[in-house]
Amino acid sequence: MVQSSCLCGANVITFSGEPDIRFKCHCTDERKLTGAAFSLNAIYSDADLKIIKGSLKVFTKVVNSGNRMSNHVCGECGSLLYRSSTGYPGKLAIKVGCVDDEDMPMVYVPDVEIFTRSRVPWEKPVEGAIQNWGDFGTGPAHI
């Protein structure tokens, strides 16, 4: 069982099993949500999620694909614990930076990078990771 929590501790979630995929997202929405150049995520089944403490607020936005992306955040401190999308029903993108096991982000290696068209020029591709110009399955940049 893996546990994640927000910065203030008002919300705690757990999830189990191995992630379906580990990915690094370079999209511009993630930049605004995290204040960083990219985000690290792990896809889990929504059936594996348990809310242990608190009540997350949800902000939903229609993204460029036309899917509805929901951001599940702490209403007190604003920490983004996970995202869900109508484009990937039954799946959640857990934010690796909120995982309470401090070793997880240190050993986490993405399988895939998405929205590499928005990657900042000083950030190098992850060796061995599939590179997608846009969302999953879009392939490398068109030259």
Side-chain angles (χ1 to χ4, degrees), residues 96 101-109:
V96 174
D101 178 354
E102 292 180 10
D103 290 334
M104 185 176 181
M106 301 303 175
V107 298
Y108 173 95
V109 178

Side-chain angles (χ1 to χ4, degrees), residues 21-26 30 34 36-43 80-82 93-99 104-113 123 126:
I21 196 163
R22 295 169 188 80
F23 72 98
K24 184 176 182 180
C25 183
H26 300 276
E30 288 281 6
T34 65
F38 58 85
S39 69
L40 300 177
N41 306 276
I43 299 291
L80 174 61
L81 294 178
Y82 67 93
I94 302 290
K95 298 302 179 180
V96 174
C98 291
V99 172
M104 185 176 181
M106 301 303 175
V107 298
Y108 173 95
V109 178
D111 306 307
V112 177
E113 291 189 68
E123 181 67 22
V126 174

Side-chain angles (χ1 to χ4, degrees), residues 17-135:
E18 287 296 311
D20 293 344
I21 196 163
R22 295 169 188 80
F23 72 98
K24 184 176 182 180
C25 183
H26 300 276
C27 78
T28 55
D29 281 356
E30 288 281 6
R31 284 190 198 159
K32 289 181 183 264
L33 286 165
T34 65
F38 58 85
S39 69
L40 300 177
N41 306 276
I43 299 291
Y44 284 86
S45 168
D46 62 3
D48 296 331
L49 177 77
K50 304 250 184 303
I51 297 176
I52 303 300
K53 177 181 170 188
S55 177
L56 295 169
K57 293 194 177 214
V58 180
F59 165 73
T60 301
K61 175 188 177 190
V62 176
V63 294
N64 290 341
S65 65
N67 294 323
R68 296 177 57 79
M69 182 70 75
S70 296
N71 304 284
H72 302 261
V73 303
C74 174
E76 297 298 316
C77 69
S79 294
L80 174 61
L81 294 178
Y82 67 93
R83 299 181 89 190
S84 57
S85 171
T86 55
Y88 300 96
K91 301 294 181 184
L92 304 172
I94 302 290
K95 298 302 179 180
V96 174
C98 291
V99 172
D100 293 333
D101 178 354
E102 292 180 10
D103 290 334
M104 185 176 181
M106 301 303 175
V107 298
Y108 173 95
V109 178
D111 306 307
V112 177
E113 291 189 68
I114 61 174
F115 294 99
T116 58
R117 67 177 178 243
S118 302
R119 180 176 21 228
V120 293
W122 46 262
E123 181 67 22
K124 304 288 185 243
V126 174
E127 188 176 331
I130 296 167
Q131 303 294 305
N132 284 290
W133 182 247
D135 207 345

Side-chain angles (χ1 to χ4, degrees), residues 1-4 13-17 44 48-50 94 99:
M1 189 74 56
V2 180
Q3 179 175 298
S4 289
I13 62 173
T14 62
F15 43 97
S16 58
Y44 284 86
D48 296 331
L49 177 77
K50 304 250 184 303
I94 302 290
V99 172

